[in-house]
Amino acid sequence: MAARRRGPPLRLRTARPGDRSGRAVIVTFAEHSLRFSLRFRPDGQVRRTAVTRRGACFDEHRGAGEVRHRFADGDALLRAPRRRFSAETAETAARVLERPLARVGPRAEAALRELSRDARVTLVLSGLHQHVAAGAEGGGGTDERRMCAVEAVLEQGLAEAAPWDLTGPLTSALAGAERIVDRLRDRAARRRADAVPGRADVLLAPGRAGAFFHELVGHPMEADVLRSGVVYLRPGVRLGPEWLTVADGAVRAAAGFRARIDDEGSACTEAVLIRRGVVARAMTDRVTAGFDARFRPTGHGRRLDYRHPAIPRMTHTCAFADAPAEPPDREWIEPYGLRPETVNPATGDFSFLALAPTLHRPDAPPLRLPRLRLAGNARTALAALRPADPTVVEDARARRGCGKLGQFPLPVTFANAGMVLPAGTVSIEVAGP
């Protein structure tokens, strides 16, 4: 068991008291969780990392716009006389702390080690298993969250991923790993292009561009960011074509981050951030929902762990295209390994790196391109989008996460339909070999 620690009060300025009567509200959170990663190298070496969390906290939503956060490792906060909540709540939290965590079995390790050696690729198996109890007195409940994926990696950006079910048949999970190894080999075998086109359509392929919508739509629509008044988005303003909808919620994900309640005990719902091209609803936690009497928490109050207060955060961001497909009819670039480089939330200016892009040509094999930088403005880019493929595909790489206010890496996942940025919408330049 981890040594007990007690965190000092953390005062956060908010807009309103804990409830409409002005009384303080105590929101509790307890977790027993494991985040792990196993990296299998072709030479047989295995690197293991694991972070376990077991503890509890409470947020005291007080009057005069103040929230106090206290935490302790283990069950220290759950025992009288220091306890600030009911015995029933403490008993529920204590049971959560004793629930077992999933582990990778020796057969799975041996199979991945053998596949890595035979295919000469690095395989990374990563996952999250979390038991939580959360809520105010008389509300909330418990939840179990699982997420696991395997990645085949040759170099930065040149990677493929697939879900991995820790509880299902090993043969099925291993077959998925073998498929991504085959796809990775096909991509690595492509010939390099002699030149990079200065203008070309950019295809945001299904399941390959979640980071694009995460950065340009998701973060600005987290309620605390939106209320700062320094973001380019405004509710009610048209931002994209009528066929575009972007939503976030932990209830839709199949292999990605999925949850029944958030880390404050609020029911997880899907917040529609852009509805048919128009900026719509922000993602809220208990505090930010209180800025407007019409709002309720959308279930986006999330913590890096019990040592942190809850803040509005994304969970599983999806971009949908409700229109007939208009795929590119000339050469186009597919930006594999898309990563944000700079994003200005006030102006919408951005630059992304495509770490392993591919050039597609009509009636010719695809070519590998060097690392590219794609830069532009979110207003221009989102307005210019064309639908390319209505199929929505998930990307759920469990070893990565999102950072906000120092809380990194929080597990988040994505899904998106296929869309095209027409030539000239973003600038394209070489950013490395």
Side-chain angles (χ1 to χ4, degrees), residues 47-394:
R47 189 178 72 187
R48 309 167 191 272
T49 59
V51 176
T52 303
R53 291 285 183 259
R54 183 178 179 276
C57 69
F58 67 83
D59 296 332
E60 186 177 1
H61 294 244
R62 302 162 61 96
E66 182 180 345
V67 176
R68 286 190 171 187
H69 173 78
R70 290 184 182 272
F71 71 86
D73 297 338
D75 62 355
L77 284 187
L78 308 181
R79 301 196 302 267
R82 295 166 57 191
R83 193 171 61 224
R84 296 292 306 277
F85 34 86
S86 71
E88 181 181 2
T89 297
E91 289 170 4
T92 299
R95 288 195 295 271
V96 161
L97 296 186
E98 300 309 316
R99 290 178 180 168
L101 299 172
R103 303 286 175 176
V104 180
R107 288 183 59 237
E109 285 200 30
L112 288 172
R113 187 184 296 111
E114 181 180 0
L115 178 59
S116 173
R117 183 190 66 236
D118 293 346
R120 308 303 299 169
V121 300
T122 297
L123 295 174
V124 184
L125 181 68
S126 305
L128 163 74
H129 188 202
Q130 185 181 48
H131 297 286
V132 303
E137 290 297 320
T142 62
D143 200 6
E144 180 179 11
R145 303 157 183 174
R146 291 175 180 265
M147 178 181 159
C148 191
V150 61
E151 290 182 71
V153 183
L154 280 179
E155 59 189 64
Q156 188 180 29
L158 192 56
E160 294 282 346
W164 182 280
D165 187 353
L166 285 173
T167 61
L170 176 58
T171 53
S172 298
L174 192 59
E178 292 169 346
R179 285 192 293 271
I180 63 173
V181 167
D182 290 341
R183 290 204 301 265
L184 187 63
R185 281 173 165 168
D186 289 343
R187 288 177 54 201
R190 292 169 182 168
R191 184 171 64 85
R192 289 192 175 271
D194 296 327
V196 176
R199 286 173 58 90
D201 289 349
V202 175
L203 176 66
L204 305 176
R208 294 283 186 174
F212 184 83
F213 296 98
H214 175 97
E215 296 293 338
L216 300 189
V217 177
H219 276 307
M221 291 300 288
E222 291 166 333
D224 55 341
V225 180
L226 184 64
R227 281 193 57 86
S228 70
V230 293
V231 296
Y232 76 96
L233 293 173
R234 292 290 183 273
V237 174
R238 176 166 294 281
L239 186 66
E242 189 175 351
W243 51 261
L244 176 66
T245 294
V246 181
D248 188 282
V251 294
R252 181 184 294 269
F257 182 83
R258 188 178 180 90
R260 187 179 63 84
I261 58 173
D262 71 0
D263 295 339
E264 297 180 303
S266 300
C268 288
T269 65
E270 190 164 73
V272 179
L273 315 179
I274 295 180
R275 187 188 301 276
R276 303 198 68 81
V278 177
V279 180
R281 184 185 188 191
M283 294 167 277
T284 60
D285 62 354
R286 283 178 176 266
V287 169
T288 54
F291 285 116
D292 191 317
R294 298 170 298 174
F295 295 160
R296 290 184 178 276
T298 60
H300 286 83
R302 302 191 64 196
R303 310 171 192 268
L304 182 62
D305 54 42
Y306 62 87
R307 301 174 185 182
H308 294 75
I311 56 176
R313 301 289 292 270
M314 281 173 279
T315 54
H316 184 73
T317 309
C318 304
F320 307 96
D322 183 18
E326 301 176 26
D329 56 3
R330 51 189 173 184
E331 68 178 17
W332 73 91
I333 293 171
E334 191 166 350
Y336 286 110
L338 195 65
R339 299 286 183 274
E341 185 180 40
T342 61
V343 180
N344 186 326
T347 64
D349 292 332
F350 65 81
S351 65
F352 283 81
L353 293 177
L355 302 180
T358 298
L359 177 63
H360 293 261
R361 304 166 295 164
D363 305 319
L367 300 174
R368 291 182 65 183
L369 291 170
R371 182 177 300 188
L372 299 178
R373 176 175 291 108
L374 310 177
N377 181 270
R379 290 190 184 94
T380 302
L382 292 169
L385 284 172
R386 292 202 322 260
D389 185 343
T391 307
V392 177
V393 177
E394 287 191 14

